Amino acid sequence: MQIDINELIELVKSVKPMFLNHTEAEHVTVKGRADFVTQVDIRVQEYMRNELSKRWPDVQFMGEEKDNSDIDFNGAVWILDPVDGTTNLIHDFKDSALSLGLCEQGQVTLGVIYQPFLDEIFWAQKGKGAFCNESDTRKLEDSLVAVGTSPYHRDLTEKNFDAIRCIYEHCVDIRRMGAASVDLAYVACGRVEAYFERNLKPWDF
């Protein structure tokens, strides 16, 4: 599928004022333990759903804050996390992002991550590269590693922290930032050398 990446990037960057709306970030609904949704999540998702549909009407839409039971992965699907790092947003911990992917016949072919607080955008297309700086670090002992704690799955706590400790003992240090898409983008641009977390959903990556 032909996607004008510049048009898509401009669309993604247009959500910045929604992320900066502190009033809507304070309207919180609890979905589960450490699992929240704000009016920012809802507004960004509906805005992106409408705008993507106008531009690429033949592509289905999968979002974190909707029922996705009708999605057919044999076709093309946008996969959106409107606010990756909602807990960070609620606490004004400025490390949240919009994360958008395009999946075609079950394979992700394009991804865009926008961190509006730093006004940073990362994107990649299959066969065309990822537009970021690449790290030269190749050894674990020289690496800074980002980790996730799978906070919605507390039954995995012991297993997760055993793995994190194992990595920590062999690398320079670890970081736990709370937005999977940003962690992945930071690997791409060399700020960290690796990232791992269990039980991520499609919109997380």
Side-chain angles (χ1 to χ4, degrees):
M1 172 168 292
Q2 294 297 316
I3 301 292
D4 183 333
I5 191 64
N6 293 316
E7 181 181 1
L8 185 62
I9 286 170
E10 287 307 308
L11 170 59
V12 167
K13 291 180 75 172
S14 69
V15 305
K16 182 175 182 176
M18 301 179 204
F19 272 78
L20 301 183
N21 188 323
H22 297 297
T23 302
E24 293 201 341
E26 291 171 355
H27 290 169
V28 180
T29 300
V30 179
K31 296 194 291 183
R33 184 171 184 180
D35 192 6
F36 310 102
V37 61
T38 71
Q39 283 301 114
V40 178
D41 297 70
I42 302 300
R43 275 196 67 200
V44 170
Q45 178 161 297
E46 284 309 301
Y47 170 76
M48 289 298 296
R49 181 179 186 174
N50 290 334
E51 293 300 319
L52 289 168
S53 178
K54 288 177 190 175
R55 291 166 170 79
W56 298 283
D58 296 330
V59 183
Q60 303 166 83
F61 180 86
M62 180 182 192
E64 183 179 10
E65 311 304 336
K66 68 179 277 288
D67 176 9
N68 296 298
S69 58
D70 61 339
I71 298 296
D72 177 9
F73 279 100
N74 291 313
V77 185
W78 292 113
I79 302 176
L80 176 75
D81 190 342
V83 180
D84 184 18
T86 299
T87 301
N88 287 348
L89 185 73
I90 293 167
H91 290 272
D92 200 25
F93 190 90
K94 294 178 169 48
D95 198 8
S96 304
L98 177 150
S99 179
L100 177 68
L102 177 64
C103 184
E104 299 181 81
Q105 290 76 51
Q107 188 173 64
V108 176
T109 57
L110 181 154
V112 179
I113 298 166
Y114 179 50
Q115 212 282 31
F117 301 101
L118 297 175
D119 205 30
E120 290 184 325
I121 194 150
F122 307 86
W123 72 96
Q125 288 179 286
K126 184 180 178 184
K128 297 182 180 180
F131 295 89
C132 342
N133 298 321
E134 207 172 300
S135 171
D136 292 325
T137 302
R138 293 290 179 265
K139 297 180 180 178
L140 183 59
E141 58 262 35
D142 299 325
S143 297
L144 185 63
V145 178
V147 303
T149 55
S150 307
Y152 314 149
H153 304 280
R154 297 301 171 108
D155 56 308
L156 296 174
T157 297
E158 185 173 355
K159 191 175 183 180
N160 283 336
F161 280 83
D162 283 348
I164 291 169
R165 179 175 179 173
C166 182
I167 294 293
Y168 174 69
E169 289 174 348
H170 292 89
C171 71
V172 170
D173 205 349
I174 59 173
R175 296 290 184 268
R176 194 276 191 242
M177 292 173 282
S181 63
V182 177
D183 289 323
L184 289 165
Y186 283 6
V187 174
C189 70
R191 291 176 190 164
V192 297
E193 278 66 52
Y195 161 69
F196 74 93
E197 182 167 5
R198 289 187 173 90
N199 287 38
L200 294 176
K201 298 292 192 296
W203 44 77
D204 293 324
F205 58 85

